[in-house]
Amino acid sequence: MTPLLMIRHGLTAWNQAKKIQGRIDMPLCEDGLRAVGRWSLPEEFKDFRWLSSPLIRAVGTARLLGHEPEVETCLVEMSWGEWEGRSFPELRQVCAKELEVQ
């Protein structure tokens, strides 16, 4: 069996604002930088091969954990298109208005 450890990137300003992020290349915010700086990995994973999405928040998280990841484009986050940068309450309002027009 091949061991696998997946780590989500640290916090961004859009995560804090509860906005949909997708492929927008948002960096880690100050809170995210501090939080990742406190993370520690299980010892058995420290020498493993590191792969990362090409987005700065993912690469930055790996670097803060002491690794230079191989960027793998197929790991890029899903695109949310015109929804990126919007919150779910905002999208609910937009959808409700569109339904009223119909």
Side-chain angles (χ1 to χ4, degrees):
M1 180 167 60
T2 302
L4 173 69
L5 177 67
M6 297 181 82
I7 302 170
R8 186 176 189 273
H9 62 77
L11 194 66
T12 70
W14 278 16
N15 294 142
Q16 286 179 313
K18 302 206 181 299
K19 291 182 178 184
I20 297 171
Q21 200 160 241
R23 290 193 180 167
I24 297 294
D25 206 2
M26 297 290 296
L28 300 178
C29 64
E30 289 300 318
D31 289 342
L33 293 168
R34 280 192 295 278
V36 174
R38 292 188 303 267
W39 294 355
S40 63
L41 299 174
E43 210 42 56
E44 64 267 24
F45 289 99
K46 291 202 178 202
D47 293 327
F48 276 42
R49 178 179 174 205
W50 281 64
L51 300 173
S52 173
S53 155
L55 299 183
I56 195 167
R57 61 186 176 263
V59 173
T61 297
R63 288 178 177 158
L64 283 169
L65 291 169
H67 297 274
E68 187 60 41
E70 295 174 43
V71 171
E72 180 55 65
T73 57
C74 70
L75 294 176
V76 72
E77 287 78 344
M78 183 175 106
S79 173
W80 288 86
E82 64 185 44
W83 286 14
E84 291 185 11
R86 296 175 124 181
S87 67
F88 284 109
E90 180 185 353
L91 289 171
R92 284 186 193 102
Q93 287 178 342
V94 169
C95 290
K97 285 180 184 176
E98 288 177 3
L99 289 173
E100 288 173 10
V101 172
Q102 295 176 1

